[in-house]
Each structure stands twice: as C-alpha cells, then as structure tokens.
Amino acid sequence: MAKLIDGKAIAAEVREQVKRDVERLERKGITPGLAVIIVGDDPASRTYVNNKKKACEQAGIYSEEYALPANTTQDELLKLVEKLNQKSDIDGILVQLPLPSGLDEHEVIRAIHPGKDVDAFHAENVGKIMIGKFQFLPCTPAGVMELLHHENISISGKHCVVIGRSNIVGKPMAMLLLHEHATVTICHSRTENLKEICKQADILVAAVGKAKFVTADMVKENAVVIDVGMNRDEDGKLCGDVDFKQVEPKASYITPVPGGVGPMTIAMLLKNTITAAKYQAGMEE
Ligand code: GUN
C-alpha cells in the first residue's frame, strides 16, 4: 500500500511560514500585494481565482481582483497589465489562464514586469529557470518539488517520467527534476510506447488533463506517483490523471486528488508573492 502524500497538510505548513514572513515584512512597513486578473466566466478559473484570493487573505497578503468580461480587447488587457506594473502597492500580477479565444496569451504574459511575474511564465523567468538562476519558480512544479522534499524522496539519479509538455507544468517540471540530477523523460500525446516508458519511472508525474489516464499497467512496482490532474470523472466527481484505485496498491507514494498537488500550487503562489514584495522593496532574498 502506498503512503499518501498529504498536500493539504504540507501546504498548510508552507502557508504558516508565509504568514510569519508577511508579519516580518509588515513590521518593516511592507504589505505584499497581489493582483489577479480573470477574463471571462470559465467556472474552473473562477474557482481557482477565488481560492487564490482566499489564501491571500488568510496569509495577510493584500489582493485585488480584476474580473473582466469575455469580450475584453487585447489592448484593454495590456493597458491593465501596464497599470499594475506601475502600481506601487502591487508586487505580483497573475493573469489566470486560459484566456478566452481571440486574446493573445503570450503577448499578455510578455507585458507583465518580470519582477512581478509570480507565475514565472514570462520568457525572462523561464530562461532563468532553464539556467538554474531563478527568482520565481512556477507554482505547480515548485509545489511538486516541495512534496518530494517533504517526504525525503530521493531524486538524484532516478528516472523521472513527466507525462505532459505544457509551459505551465510539464516543461518546467522536467527542468526542476533535472536540476536535482534526475534522468528525465517527457512524454506527450505523440509518444510511442508510452506505457513502456512510464513503466520505467521511479517517479511518475502525470500532467495530462485526462481523467484516470494512468492505469496500473503503466506503473512500476513501488514507483512514486504524482498526480497533477484536476478532472471530473463520469459521475462528475473530482479526480486526477491517475486511476487512484488501481495504481495506489502498486505505488510507494501517491498524491490524492483533491488534496495533493492542488493546495501546493496556491501555497507556492503565496511564497512567490513574498519574494516579489521583497524584490520590489529592494531587499535581497
Ligand atoms: N491556469 C492553470 N494553472 C494556472 C496557473 O498556475 N497560473 C495561472 N495564471 N493560470 C493557470
């Protein structure tokens, strides 16, 4: 039977630390501030944004929400980002993705000041991650690393297989594992022999976006299985990319959905907002 990695509890520890950091900054007259932009009315995005705002409040981080209609123009969105770049009480800017069709996500991300880019999506921050000299780490991959560290799971020399090659999760996830000396394979929708490759993984990270995609026959005995997915199953119940019931008996460690990687993403966003506030205040990390 696998050990369950309790992301909710580990995230709570990170959030307590963030709270103490906020108090320390407050004593110096600094209140970290996060601006969250959401465009359109995607229900999943709305839930994520609500959770992010609530987490800020609990940590003592000031937050502003900008909820724009789906017919917002590229120009209006860029102007808002520019305004927030200049706003002195805002340290971090987050544009919830995906944006409605017709808006150019890449141009919007490029408009965010790299020092306020708490998602670490800007090319400058992506490049810094690539060379290992970063200020911010992308929240979900950083959250996964935190879970692995918390459980003292050894990464160096291990074969890590990441399923998914998105800019938000798959690609940066692979890079962070590589920084810690793993041998990394990235798989995706066109990978041949996917099952065989996954079966070689000591650590398997599923970031596919398909309910119960990873089945027991794709998992090596005693593998560590990290599930980044957040899907609905045929009964409308929240589930991950991993068929938990099938895979759990084979794994040595596994993250549940919900309560695994999800809470970590938000905790790491708070951490990045603290980093941004220190940077804006001219303090060294
Ligand atoms: N959409 C899905 N995940 C994320 C994330 O981590 N940040 C933003 N901004 N949008 C997302």
Side-chain angles (χ1 to χ4, degrees):
M1 228 176 69
K3 179 173 190 287
L4 220 59
I5 304 180
D6 187 349
K8 207 168 155 190
I10 301 168
E13 285 176 26
V14 175
R15 286 165 66 159
E16 276 309 308
Q17 182 57 50
V18 167
K19 215 166 158 179
R20 288 192 288 273
D21 287 345
V22 172
E23 284 161 7
R24 205 167 304 131
L25 288 172
E26 287 282 359
R27 286 197 286 276
K28 295 185 190 239
I30 299 162
T31 304
L34 175 71
V36 181
I37 303 175
I38 175 169
V39 188
D41 43 22
D42 177 64
S45 289
R46 174 36 72 196
T47 305
Y48 292 140
V49 166
N50 287 349
N51 290 340
K52 288 169 184 176
K53 273 170 39 193
K54 205 161 97 193
C56 280
E57 207 173 296
Q58 284 169 359
I61 293 174
Y62 167 71
S63 75
E64 290 179 353
E65 179 189 299
Y66 295 84
L68 309 178
N71 64 359
T72 300
T73 65
Q74 183 77 8
D75 208 40
E76 286 166 336
L77 188 50
L78 290 173
K79 283 211 171 86
L80 173 59
V81 170
E82 194 41 51
K83 187 180 97 176
L84 295 171
N85 281 340
Q86 305 296 334
K87 207 166 181 284
S88 61
D89 58 349
I90 290 300
D91 301 296
I93 302 169
L94 180 152
V95 180
Q96 187 64 31
L97 301 179
L99 289 172
S101 61
L103 292 172
D104 180 350
E105 185 167 296
H106 297 290
E107 192 185 26
V108 174
I109 290 168
R110 202 161 54 230
I112 299 172
H113 187 288
K116 293 193 175 188
D117 172 35
V118 284
D119 267 322
F121 290 167
H122 190 287
E124 183 173 317
N125 289 320
V126 175
K128 284 179 173 174
I129 292 159
M130 194 87 173
I131 61 171
K133 296 259 174 250
F134 44 80
Q135 180 182 17
F136 302 115
L137 286 178
C139 303
T140 300
V144 171
M145 296 310 286
E146 190 87 16
L147 292 178
L148 295 173
H149 294 155
H150 190 276
E151 300 298 326
N152 287 318
I153 292 166
S154 83
I155 299 167
S156 177
K158 301 292 183 218
H159 188 189
C160 298
V161 174
V162 179
I163 322 174
R165 55 171 158 177
S166 70
N167 289 333
I168 295 183
V169 184
K171 284 189 224 170
M173 185 76 251
M175 199 49 62
L176 299 195
L177 290 164
L178 185 63
H179 285 163
E180 300 207 9
H181 317 291
T183 302
V184 185
T185 304
I186 306 177
C187 297
H188 47 82
S189 52
R190 302 208 190 164
T191 297
E192 293 178 4
N193 306 323
L194 178 73
K195 182 174 125 184
E196 285 68 28
I197 297 168
C198 290
K199 236 186 141 124
Q200 292 170 19
D202 300 306
I203 300 174
L204 182 63
V205 181
V208 202
K210 285 193 186 145
K212 302 182 188 177
F213 181 83
V214 176
T215 45
D217 58 342
M218 295 165 74
V219 178
K220 181 163 86 172
E221 203 71 49
N222 291 322
V224 174
V225 180
I226 305 289
D227 191 346
V228 181
M230 184 65 82
N231 315 292
R232 298 267 168 196
D233 68 9
E234 54 286 357
D235 305 319
K237 237 181 87 194
L238 267 185
C239 75
D241 290 348
V242 176
D243 189 328
F244 184 89
K245 222 167 131 191
Q246 267 192 27
V247 170
E248 186 271 340
K250 260 186 129 171
S252 57
Y253 290 85
I254 191 166
T255 60
V257 176
V261 175
M264 293 305 292
T265 298
I266 295 188
M268 301 324 274
L269 169 69
L270 301 179
K271 255 183 108 163
N272 280 349
T273 305
I274 301 293
T275 303
K278 287 181 181 168
Y279 170 74
Q280 248 66 243
M283 293 162 69
E284 285 306 314
E285 261 294 87

